[in-house]
Amino acid sequence: MKRLLILYTGGTIGMDHTPEGLAPVPGFLPQQLARLARDGVSWEVREYAPLLDSSAITLADWQRLVADIAANHDAFDGFVVIHGTDTMAYTASVLAFCLQGLAKPVVVTGSQLPLVHPRSDGWGNLADAIEAACQSELHEVAISFNRLLLRGVRARKLDAASFAGFDSPNAPPLAQFGIQPQWHRAGWRQASGPFRPQLPASPDIRCGMLLPGAMAAAFGRWLAQDTPDAAILLSYGNGNTPADAELLAGVKAASARGCVVLNLTQCVRGAVAVGAYAASQPLAQAGAVAGGDMTPEAAQAKLLWLLSQPLSPAEVRARLAEDCRGELTPAA
């Protein structure tokens, strides 16, 4: 008998009709889950209060999730986190980094339409998530959505208008759910070392996206005047930026003061590859770390995890370039 812990944080999936319209209704989703009962699996549902719209997720909510999974790690065979879709990939990434040494499945899921809707995708997503959470060989955090099981640190919400809300553009799925599940176990990561959960702290992490025109100089001035713990710069193509003097001076000055500047591409597919184009060189020379094909969601979570440890800026930069949870495709 597999024992699962289901943590219900909120989201569209558990909404019901109220006089004000669709809204989360306490107690509704746990009752609905009884319809998915199956032989050989039992579960306990813990409903968070208040139930959240995932756009309102905070560091405290991530800390609670990490703490709840850590406290119940030995008592259950797997975990399902029911979550709104807007920030699901962010939460999956945070859990992946903060649950170090995880040797059990943690599967995050939700839906585009609530269970009360006659065409809800929630039933299939829940059933697949429960199936995946029973796989003892799955030692990582995953997202179950639209008949796919995706690595949490690779997944992104790419569509707000269809049931195919999530994909992992730079990595294959961990499983596909058809009439028979196809488990791509060869690609599953295995736990290394003991289970060592870490609550994320609250470093100052900021993000800016380059736009043609004066945005590069503005980003540089911002870094020159202020020094967050880390800054994510969403650049063009393979990590290209204009050789703007203010941008490069700002990155260099902030890096010298201990700020970790991470260069990510705005492209959904592909990676920052320093040297692929001459335009990718100046930012690296100024001190920015190339983020490879990390998603912005995984990048924030990885920085949150690294900056919550007693590491020097140089050590953080070195770890950013390493593949720690399957978030990076190693350079050829």
mmCIF file of all heavy atoms in Angstrom, residues 77-104:
data_model
loop_
_atom_site.group_PDB
_atom_site.id
_atom_site.type_symbol
_atom_site.label_atom_id
_atom_site.label_comp_id
_atom_site.label_asym_id
_atom_site.label_seq_id
_atom_site.Cartn_x
_atom_site.Cartn_y
_atom_site.Cartn_z
ATOM 1 N N ASP A 77 5.102 7.764 1.203
ATOM 2 C CA ASP A 77 5.878 7.249 0.065
ATOM 3 C C ASP A 77 6.034 8.274 -1.044
ATOM 4 O O ASP A 77 6.932 8.161 -1.884
ATOM 5 C CB ASP A 77 5.199 5.993 -0.502
ATOM 6 C CG ASP A 77 5.128 4.877 0.516
ATOM 7 O OD1 ASP A 77 6.191 4.441 0.993
ATOM 8 O OD2 ASP A 77 4.002 4.457 0.851
ATOM 9 N N GLY A 78 5.163 9.257 -1.087
ATOM 10 C CA GLY A 78 5.228 10.283 -2.114
ATOM 11 C C GLY A 78 4.327 11.446 -1.743
ATOM 12 O O GLY A 78 3.516 11.363 -0.801
ATOM 13 N N PHE A 79 4.473 12.536 -2.498
ATOM 14 C CA PHE A 79 3.767 13.766 -2.178
ATOM 15 C C PHE A 79 3.157 14.354 -3.450
ATOM 16 O O PHE A 79 3.778 14.330 -4.518
ATOM 17 C CB PHE A 79 4.726 14.783 -1.561
ATOM 18 C CG PHE A 79 5.387 14.293 -0.302
ATOM 19 C CD1 PHE A 79 6.530 13.508 -0.358
ATOM 20 C CD2 PHE A 79 4.846 14.600 0.939
ATOM 21 C CE1 PHE A 79 7.128 13.036 0.806
ATOM 22 C CE2 PHE A 79 5.438 14.139 2.103
ATOM 23 C CZ PHE A 79 6.582 13.356 2.038
ATOM 24 N N VAL A 80 1.957 14.902 -3.314
ATOM 25 C CA VAL A 80 1.308 15.652 -4.389
ATOM 26 C C VAL A 80 1.019 17.045 -3.853
ATOM 27 O O VAL A 80 0.459 17.199 -2.759
ATOM 28 C CB VAL A 80 0.004 14.979 -4.856
ATOM 29 C CG1 VAL A 80 -0.729 15.866 -5.872
ATOM 30 C CG2 VAL A 80 0.276 13.608 -5.458
ATOM 31 N N VAL A 81 1.439 18.062 -4.596
ATOM 32 C CA VAL A 81 1.168 19.459 -4.232
ATOM 33 C C VAL A 81 0.180 20.006 -5.257
ATOM 34 O O VAL A 81 0.475 20.048 -6.456
ATOM 35 C CB VAL A 81 2.456 20.300 -4.223
ATOM 36 C CG1 VAL A 81 2.128 21.762 -3.926
ATOM 37 C CG2 VAL A 81 3.456 19.748 -3.214
ATOM 38 N N ILE A 82 -0.998 20.380 -4.794
ATOM 39 C CA ILE A 82 -2.028 20.951 -5.675
ATOM 40 C C ILE A 82 -1.904 22.463 -5.609
ATOM 41 O O ILE A 82 -1.941 23.063 -4.531
ATOM 42 C CB ILE A 82 -3.427 20.478 -5.260
ATOM 43 C CG1 ILE A 82 -3.503 18.943 -5.356
ATOM 44 C CG2 ILE A 82 -4.489 21.113 -6.134
ATOM 45 C CD1 ILE A 82 -4.809 18.357 -4.844
ATOM 46 N N HIS A 83 -1.785 23.089 -6.785
ATOM 47 C CA HIS A 83 -1.267 24.463 -6.853
ATOM 48 C C HIS A 83 -1.902 25.176 -8.038
ATOM 49 O O HIS A 83 -2.238 24.552 -9.051
ATOM 50 C CB HIS A 83 0.249 24.382 -7.051
ATOM 51 C CG HIS A 83 1.028 25.613 -6.755
ATOM 52 N ND1 HIS A 83 1.065 26.698 -7.595
ATOM 53 C CD2 HIS A 83 1.845 25.920 -5.704
ATOM 54 C CE1 HIS A 83 1.864 27.621 -7.085
ATOM 55 N NE2 HIS A 83 2.356 27.179 -5.928
ATOM 56 N N GLY A 84 -2.048 26.471 -7.960
ATOM 57 C CA GLY A 84 -2.466 27.252 -9.116
ATOM 58 C C GLY A 84 -1.404 27.251 -10.197
ATOM 59 O O GLY A 84 -0.217 27.050 -9.923
ATOM 60 N N THR A 85 -1.812 27.480 -11.433
ATOM 61 C CA THR A 85 -0.885 27.328 -12.558
ATOM 62 C C THR A 85 0.049 28.514 -12.747
ATOM 63 O O THR A 85 1.139 28.356 -13.293
ATOM 64 C CB THR A 85 -1.657 27.096 -13.868
ATOM 65 O OG1 THR A 85 -2.508 28.211 -14.132
ATOM 66 C CG2 THR A 85 -2.491 25.823 -13.797
ATOM 67 N N ASP A 86 -0.338 29.715 -12.321
ATOM 68 C CA ASP A 86 0.450 30.902 -12.668
ATOM 69 C C ASP A 86 1.885 30.815 -12.180
ATOM 70 O O ASP A 86 2.816 31.217 -12.898
ATOM 71 C CB ASP A 86 -0.213 32.165 -12.109
ATOM 72 C CG ASP A 86 -1.423 32.594 -12.923
ATOM 73 O OD1 ASP A 86 -1.619 32.049 -14.024
ATOM 74 O OD2 ASP A 86 -2.166 33.469 -12.452
ATOM 75 N N THR A 87 2.094 30.332 -10.979
ATOM 76 C CA THR A 87 3.450 30.249 -10.429
ATOM 77 C C THR A 87 3.857 28.810 -10.124
ATOM 78 O O THR A 87 4.778 28.582 -9.351
ATOM 79 C CB THR A 87 3.577 31.111 -9.154
ATOM 80 O OG1 THR A 87 2.594 30.679 -8.196
ATOM 81 C CG2 THR A 87 3.386 32.585 -9.466
ATOM 82 N N MET A 88 3.188 27.862 -10.744
ATOM 83 C CA MET A 88 3.481 26.453 -10.465
ATOM 84 C C MET A 88 4.934 26.093 -10.762
ATOM 85 O O MET A 88 5.591 25.381 -9.991
ATOM 86 C CB MET A 88 2.540 25.554 -11.283
ATOM 87 C CG MET A 88 2.688 24.075 -10.986
ATOM 88 S SD MET A 88 1.614 23.071 -12.025
ATOM 89 C CE MET A 88 0.002 23.531 -11.401
ATOM 90 N N ALA A 89 5.470 26.585 -11.869
ATOM 91 C CA ALA A 89 6.849 26.253 -12.229
ATOM 92 C C ALA A 89 7.840 26.875 -11.250
ATOM 93 O O ALA A 89 8.908 26.298 -10.982
ATOM 94 C CB ALA A 89 7.150 26.713 -13.655
ATOM 95 N N TYR A 90 7.509 28.042 -10.707
ATOM 96 C CA TYR A 90 8.373 28.655 -9.700
ATOM 97 C C TYR A 90 8.408 27.786 -8.431
ATOM 98 O O TYR A 90 9.470 27.522 -7.871
ATOM 99 C CB TYR A 90 7.878 30.057 -9.345
ATOM 100 C CG TYR A 90 8.057 31.078 -10.438
ATOM 101 C CD1 TYR A 90 7.051 31.331 -11.365
ATOM 102 C CD2 TYR A 90 9.239 31.810 -10.542
ATOM 103 C CE1 TYR A 90 7.210 32.279 -12.376
ATOM 104 C CE2 TYR A 90 9.410 32.764 -11.549
ATOM 105 C CZ TYR A 90 8.391 32.988 -12.456
ATOM 106 O OH TYR A 90 8.555 33.923 -13.453
ATOM 107 N N THR A 91 7.223 27.367 -7.991
ATOM 108 C CA THR A 91 7.156 26.549 -6.783
ATOM 109 C C THR A 91 7.846 25.207 -6.980
ATOM 110 O O THR A 91 8.590 24.750 -6.097
ATOM 111 C CB THR A 91 5.691 26.341 -6.373
ATOM 112 O OG1 THR A 91 5.139 27.606 -5.978
ATOM 113 C CG2 THR A 91 5.556 25.355 -5.220
ATOM 114 N N ALA A 92 7.639 24.567 -8.126
ATOM 115 C CA ALA A 92 8.303 23.292 -8.382
ATOM 116 C C ALA A 92 9.811 23.446 -8.359
ATOM 117 O O ALA A 92 10.540 22.588 -7.837
ATOM 118 C CB ALA A 92 7.843 22.724 -9.730
ATOM 119 N N SER A 93 10.310 24.543 -8.910
ATOM 120 C CA SER A 93 11.755 24.788 -8.923
ATOM 121 C C SER A 93 12.294 25.021 -7.512
ATOM 122 O O SER A 93 13.345 24.493 -7.138
ATOM 123 C CB SER A 93 12.085 25.979 -9.820
ATOM 124 O OG SER A 93 11.802 25.693 -11.175
ATOM 125 N N VAL A 94 11.582 25.809 -6.711
ATOM 126 C CA VAL A 94 12.022 26.042 -5.335
ATOM 127 C C VAL A 94 12.072 24.728 -4.563
ATOM 128 O O VAL A 94 13.047 24.443 -3.847
ATOM 129 C CB VAL A 94 11.090 27.058 -4.637
ATOM 130 C CG1 VAL A 94 11.371 27.105 -3.133
ATOM 131 C CG2 VAL A 94 11.263 28.440 -5.245
ATOM 132 N N LEU A 95 11.041 23.908 -4.693
ATOM 133 C CA LEU A 95 11.031 22.629 -3.989
ATOM 134 C C LEU A 95 12.184 21.744 -4.453
ATOM 135 O O LEU A 95 12.822 21.068 -3.643
ATOM 136 C CB LEU A 95 9.693 21.920 -4.215
ATOM 137 C CG LEU A 95 8.465 22.573 -3.592
ATOM 138 C CD1 LEU A 95 7.203 21.795 -3.958
ATOM 139 C CD2 LEU A 95 8.595 22.683 -2.075
ATOM 140 N N ALA A 96 12.464 21.753 -5.743
ATOM 141 C CA ALA A 96 13.534 20.911 -6.272
ATOM 142 C C ALA A 96 14.881 21.264 -5.662
ATOM 143 O O ALA A 96 15.680 20.388 -5.324
ATOM 144 C CB ALA A 96 13.585 21.017 -7.794
ATOM 145 N N PHE A 97 15.157 22.546 -5.524
ATOM 146 C CA PHE A 97 16.453 22.952 -4.965
ATOM 147 C C PHE A 97 16.496 22.811 -3.448
ATOM 148 O O PHE A 97 17.524 22.423 -2.886
ATOM 149 C CB PHE A 97 16.776 24.386 -5.378
ATOM 150 C CG PHE A 97 17.249 24.496 -6.799
ATOM 151 C CD1 PHE A 97 16.439 25.053 -7.772
ATOM 152 C CD2 PHE A 97 18.501 24.018 -7.169
ATOM 153 C CE1 PHE A 97 16.864 25.148 -9.092
ATOM 154 C CE2 PHE A 97 18.936 24.102 -8.486
ATOM 155 C CZ PHE A 97 18.116 24.671 -9.449
ATOM 156 N N CYS A 98 15.405 23.123 -2.783
ATOM 157 C CA CYS A 98 15.426 23.146 -1.318
ATOM 158 C C CYS A 98 15.249 21.766 -0.685
ATOM 159 O O CYS A 98 15.563 21.597 0.490
ATOM 160 C CB CYS A 98 14.366 24.106 -0.801
ATOM 161 S SG CYS A 98 14.741 25.848 -1.158
ATOM 162 N N LEU A 99 14.750 20.783 -1.435
ATOM 163 C CA LEU A 99 14.617 19.422 -0.917
ATOM 164 C C LEU A 99 15.820 18.603 -1.380
ATOM 165 O O LEU A 99 15.702 17.643 -2.135
ATOM 166 C CB LEU A 99 13.305 18.800 -1.389
ATOM 167 C CG LEU A 99 12.033 19.508 -0.894
ATOM 168 C CD1 LEU A 99 10.796 18.921 -1.564
ATOM 169 C CD2 LEU A 99 11.915 19.427 0.639
ATOM 170 N N GLN A 100 16.988 18.984 -0.936
ATOM 171 C CA GLN A 100 18.228 18.342 -1.359
ATOM 172 C C GLN A 100 18.292 16.905 -0.858
ATOM 173 O O GLN A 100 17.950 16.612 0.281
ATOM 174 C CB GLN A 100 19.425 19.133 -0.836
ATOM 175 C CG GLN A 100 20.758 18.658 -1.379
ATOM 176 C CD GLN A 100 21.864 19.670 -1.111
ATOM 177 O OE1 GLN A 100 21.595 20.803 -0.744
ATOM 178 N NE2 GLN A 100 23.088 19.251 -1.286
ATOM 179 N N GLY A 101 18.722 15.986 -1.736
ATOM 180 C CA GLY A 101 18.796 14.585 -1.371
ATOM 181 C C GLY A 101 17.448 13.882 -1.401
ATOM 182 O O GLY A 101 17.311 12.769 -0.889
ATOM 183 N N LEU A 102 16.452 14.511 -2.019
ATOM 184 C CA LEU A 102 15.111 13.923 -2.099
ATOM 185 C C LEU A 102 15.171 12.553 -2.765
ATOM 186 O O LEU A 102 15.733 12.411 -3.846
ATOM 187 C CB LEU A 102 14.190 14.854 -2.892
ATOM 188 C CG LEU A 102 12.739 14.409 -3.077
ATOM 189 C CD1 LEU A 102 11.997 14.474 -1.758
ATOM 190 C CD2 LEU A 102 12.045 15.302 -4.117
ATOM 191 N N ALA A 103 14.575 11.556 -2.126
ATOM 192 C CA ALA A 103 14.568 10.203 -2.677
ATOM 193 C C ALA A 103 13.145 9.684 -2.832
ATOM 194 O O ALA A 103 12.916 8.470 -2.875
ATOM 195 C CB ALA A 103 15.384 9.263 -1.794
ATOM 196 N N LYS A 104 12.186 10.606 -2.912
ATOM 197 C CA LYS A 104 10.784 10.256 -3.089
ATOM 198 C C LYS A 104 10.159 11.215 -4.095
ATOM 199 O O LYS A 104 10.648 12.333 -4.274
ATOM 200 C CB LYS A 104 10.039 10.338 -1.753
ATOM 201 C CG LYS A 104 10.549 9.353 -0.713
ATOM 202 C CD LYS A 104 9.770 9.447 0.584
ATOM 203 C CE LYS A 104 10.309 8.419 1.580
ATOM 204 N NZ LYS A 104 9.543 8.422 2.847
#
